[in-house]
Amino acid sequence: MPAAHLKNAAARGLWLCHGCGLLSRVRAEPCVCPRCGAALHARKPAGLARAWAFLIAAMILYLPANLMPIMLTDTLTGSQRDTIMSGVAYLWATGSWPLALVVFVASVLVPLLKMLAMLFLLVSTGRRSRWAPLQRTRLYRMLESIGPWSMLDIYVVALLVALVQLKSLATIHAGPGAIAFGAVVVLTMLSAMNLDPRLFWDEDGHSDD
């Protein structure tokens, strides 16, 4: 029997507590978890709307994250403002192409692909699509697992700020692009956290309302 036609736990009246993880049989609504007292819901309440809100905010901030300086460097010879792409171009031009590829993939390509993947999941879930729930669940898990790795640029900037100021060679500050970039990563992670992947498997009209 195809997995998509199996009756899920919600259809059997079994709800999972989002506080302590206890699986409880629900006989009437509203109800609370018998172990921790948290309110029980078949799906995350308004999770889809919150996931959309966080994703739209992340997509708006993606442009300033890539166009505004991520690092401001002040030295005795002057100051320099570097964006993510100017850093990638500098690394490439100086022969550090492996590092340039890593920064480009982690800081430009991965956040963009994550937002496109979340857009696909939200659109298909909002349209109550029954297409490939297993593959969409795997895509969702992959998005959750790679989330922290998109912060590579922020880690590099923080490390440079500490090292350079310690040696008094120059002064490095995080630019407004770093704030926007960090916000993009966090907002994308929040969007994924608020999307309930069990909605991929619902066939009987369950919603997150």
Side-chain angles (χ1 to χ4, degrees), residues 156-171:
V156 172
V157 171
L159 185 62
L160 284 176
V161 168
L163 289 177
V164 173
Q165 289 186 347
L166 182 64
K167 294 182 177 179
S168 300
L169 297 177
T171 302

Side-chain angles (χ1 to χ4, degrees), residues 48-96:
L48 196 58
R50 286 200 300 270
W52 266 114
F54 285 124
L55 179 63
I56 291 173
M59 295 176 76
I60 292 173
L61 288 174
Y62 183 75
L63 286 179
N66 283 277
L67 297 177
M68 298 181 74
I70 193 171
M71 187 169 65
L72 309 175
T73 307
D74 294 319
T75 64
L76 296 176
T77 58
S79 60
Q80 184 173 343
R81 302 160 66 91
D82 293 300
T83 63
I84 293 177
M85 286 308 300
S86 69
V88 172
Y90 175 79
L91 290 172
W92 187 276
T94 54
S96 302

Side-chain angles (χ1 to χ4, degrees), residues 93-108:
T94 54
S96 302
W97 60 267
L99 185 56
L101 284 177
V102 170
V103 173
F104 177 77
V105 170
S107 302
V108 179

